[in-house]
Amino acid sequence: MCLFCKIIKKEIPSNIIHEDENYLAFHDINPKAPVHILAIPKVHVDSFNDLTPDMMAGMTTFIQEITQKTHIDKSGYRVITNIGENGGQEVGHLHFHVLGGAKLKWGHFSDADPKNLI
Ligand code: AMP
């Protein structure tokens, strides 16, 4: 069973901030911003590659609820999902990073040379 499935089953503790029947949100253990939450589906999905439009619709509402609950909806925030090796995905259970609470930099995207366009 994957790490985030264990968090869903409460076999591993997490700092949950929001939950419904289908989705779970908890604080990232290694935050990159004052607010850094992970939003995940409760059914195991490997990555965005396998996400259905229906699940994405539910996730959209769920993430909006998180941003309202943490009061970052008006000040702004960023939603990221890393996919696969080049995307930097470390945990193989689909998750959306919701980052906010400060003006976010863009620098961590500059490790690939933008001149090497595909
Ligand atoms: P990614 O690199 O997109 O796969 O992101 C995985 C994220 O999961 C990282 O930001 C980690 O800090 C976070 N993470 C790993 N283990 C835990 C955990 N037990 N509880 C909360 N967040 C975690």
Side-chain angles (χ1 to χ4, degrees):
M1 192 188 302
C2 87
L3 175 66
F4 286 175
C5 282
K6 287 181 182 163
I7 285 178
I8 291 161
K9 288 185 177 296
K10 316 275 188 332
E11 289 177 7
I12 290 178
S14 68
N15 194 349
I16 294 172
I17 71 133
H18 195 46
E19 181 170 16
D20 69 16
E21 194 187 336
N22 299 313
Y23 306 96
L24 179 72
F26 52 97
H27 289 281
D28 195 295
I29 205 167
N30 182 20
K32 303 281 194 296
V35 176
H36 186 171
I37 293 159
L38 300 175
I40 66 174
K42 287 189 173 175
V43 296
H44 181 89
V45 175
D46 285 346
S47 81
F48 187 79
N49 280 339
D50 302 308
L51 182 61
T52 65
D54 275 356
M55 284 180 72
M56 188 66 204
M59 181 60 90
T60 301
T61 302
F62 186 71
I63 289 173
Q64 289 166 349
E65 288 168 2
I66 294 168
T67 64
Q68 288 156 15
K69 203 165 179 176
T70 54
H71 308 291
I72 60 171
D73 54 324
K74 300 286 190 298
S75 53
Y77 57 93
R78 189 172 293 161
V79 179
I80 296 173
T81 186
N82 297 325
I83 300 132
E85 190 178 347
N86 278 3
Q89 183 176 5
E90 287 177 359
V91 178
H93 183 125
L94 171 69
H95 50 284
F96 289 87
H97 297 260
V98 181
L99 301 133
K103 193 154 179 96
L104 302 172
K105 293 183 178 156
W106 195 243
H108 56 289
F109 294 109
S110 63
D111 49 355
D113 186 346
K115 289 192 288 296
N116 293 334
L117 298 175
I118 293 173

